[in-house]
Amino acid sequence: MKFLQKAKKSLGQNFLVDKNIIKKIIEIANIDKNKTVMEIGSGYGNLTEAISYMKPKKIFAIEKDKILSSFLKKKFKSNGNIKIFNKDILEMIEEKNWEKNITILGNLPYNISTQILASLIMLERWPPWYDVLILMFQKEVADRIIAKTKTKDFGRLSILANWRLDVKKHFDVSKNSFFPKPKIVSSVLSFRPKKNNKFNLKNPKNLEKVTRILFSNRRKMINKNFNKLFNNKDDVAKNLNIDLNKRPEELNSEIFYKIAIEYEKLLN
Ligand code: SAH
């Protein structure tokens, strides 16, 4: 493979060069001719090309790097089903007019991977415009996303992700599958929107806020931060049966969703 320029660290450019891994990612996606697929950060189009072999209805390839997006436009010139966007994915996620049930794939730029995931979760409309996400993360980030309560990796990221999405880990990917070689191992996860989320919030930002405040001291009991959130109203903890002497990492995800619902009530 020939590269046009030095990989840009600022854009998290680590290109997937392992055909076998590309094949495994495509297999998870289960793409057929009725599907529209969006790829986040297409780079030199290795994954894009493999997607196109599955003959989906359409492919939206999003690439922020101008040089790479021009390269992609040339590379896929003869394929009218592939549309290249020279744009920042973070500006596109909240657009309102996406068609429904898009499959989103991506070997994410690692410097903004959690930001991308968070904005895919925080969408106003639910179920959202995508029906599955298949994304590559740094393994340590993936471990935090799938972490269960009472483990060291459990925290805001797993609480947020598991609020609206069913998360599944597929496999790890060695550094050698990329060029340039990253310093760390990667993992592929998939996410499917929960159709009936029991814990509905008017504003998802309230869950972000509640978890941010309660996790501001991981090692300390939650009582101070909890009372800050609820202005010392002590019936909330009682009604939800929360032991305020526990640390945030000792509570399960559902408790945080319930706290966010109570917090939202307080605001109204
Ligand atoms: N999918 C390719 C490239 C992965 S590297 C492959 O596997 O080979 C991540 C890619 O995301 C890079 O091409 C980088 O330029 C692009 N990128 C970085 N930030 C982006 C953003 N905010 N929006 C869209 N693309 C971005």
Side-chain angles (χ1 to χ4, degrees):
M1 199 181 146
K2 260 177 83 179
F3 297 97
L4 294 170
Q5 59 182 359
K6 195 161 176 280
K8 292 176 183 149
K9 274 214 181 95
S10 62
L11 289 176
Q13 293 180 347
N14 294 97
F15 304 102
L16 198 49
V17 290
D18 182 334
K19 292 218 164 72
N20 191 37
I21 297 295
I22 292 175
K23 189 169 149 238
K24 282 171 77 177
I25 293 174
I26 298 292
E27 277 167 8
I28 302 168
N30 222 338
I31 298 162
D32 63 38
K33 64 179 185 358
N34 300 314
K35 264 287 164 196
T36 295
V37 182
M38 173 186 279
E39 189 194 357
I40 302 175
S42 298
Y44 287 91
N46 288 351
L47 194 55
T48 327
E49 192 169 6
I51 298 168
S52 78
Y53 293 148
M54 307 310 290
K55 305 234 177 303
K57 191 171 74 183
K58 253 181 291 174
I59 302 175
F60 299 138
I62 322 298
E63 176 52 62
K64 187 175 175 185
D65 187 321
K66 200 158 183 181
I67 292 172
L68 293 183
S69 77
S70 315
F71 172 86
L72 290 165
K73 278 179 192 158
K74 271 194 217 121
K75 176 168 177 163
F76 296 114
K77 196 170 53 196
S78 62
N79 190 333
N81 297 339
I82 305 183
K83 191 164 180 216
I84 319 289
F85 293 81
N86 179 211
K87 276 194 153 184
D88 182 336
I89 183 63
L90 292 170
E91 287 165 15
M92 301 181 79
I93 290 171
E94 285 172 43
E95 281 174 20
K96 297 267 184 305
N97 40 7
W98 292 115
E99 61 189 87
K100 283 264 163 197
N101 299 325
I102 294 182
T103 292
I104 300 183
L105 277 132
N107 164 21
L108 297 181
Y110 288 165
N111 47 342
I112 54 165
S113 65
T114 56
Q115 217 181 325
I116 293 172
L117 180 63
S119 64
L120 287 162
I121 296 168
M122 301 312 232
L123 288 171
E124 220 174 277
R125 222 177 284 162
W126 205 264
W129 49 268
Y130 58 84
D131 66 355
V132 61
L133 310 171
I134 298 151
L135 303 174
M136 176 103 71
F137 293 88
Q138 293 158 263
K139 183 175 184 299
E140 48 172 313
V141 173
D143 288 346
R144 283 197 280 133
I145 295 170
I146 59 177
K148 298 281 180 260
T149 180
K150 300 190 177 85
T151 64
K152 73 170 182 10
D153 286 332
F154 179 72
R156 298 185 66 205
L157 204 48
S158 49
I159 293 170
L160 282 184
N162 289 284
W163 172 47
R164 279 179 150 180
L165 299 167
D166 289 316
V167 188
K168 187 174 170 198
K169 170 157 180 179
H170 293 273
F171 50 84
D172 290 333
V173 181
S174 126
K175 309 171 198 183
N176 300 319
S177 297
F178 301 88
F179 188 87
K181 241 196 235 187
K183 290 200 178 66
I184 30 69
V185 176
S186 299
S187 310
V188 173
L189 303 182
S190 71
F191 306 81
R192 284 175 199 276
K194 294 181 183 172
K195 296 256 155 52
N196 300 311
N197 184 0
K198 283 183 288 181
F199 304 103
N200 237 323
L201 288 167
K202 286 198 195 78
N203 183 359
K205 291 248 151 41
N206 289 325
L207 181 59
E208 262 190 330
K209 177 160 183 201
V210 160
T211 53
R212 185 177 67 246
I213 291 180
L214 294 179
F215 271 92
S216 59
N217 310 78
R218 257 193 102 81
R219 314 290 306 156
K220 287 200 181 142
M221 296 187 288
I222 58 165
N223 54 3
K224 262 199 194 139
N225 289 325
F226 192 91
N227 289 330
K228 213 191 289 171
L229 268 176
F230 289 100
N231 302 322
N232 296 309
K233 280 179 60 193
D234 56 2
D235 50 332
V236 180
K238 257 184 229 138
N239 292 343
L240 294 181
N241 205 1
I242 302 172
D243 179 356
L244 295 180
N245 297 325
K246 287 200 163 152
R247 297 173 182 168
E249 60 196 13
E250 293 176 299
L251 305 176
N252 64 35
S253 307
E254 300 208 341
I255 289 286
F256 289 96
Y257 309 145
K258 289 179 184 166
I259 295 173
I261 289 171
E262 291 306 312
Y263 179 72
E264 208 168 59
K265 280 189 200 157
L266 188 81
L267 297 178
N268 293 321

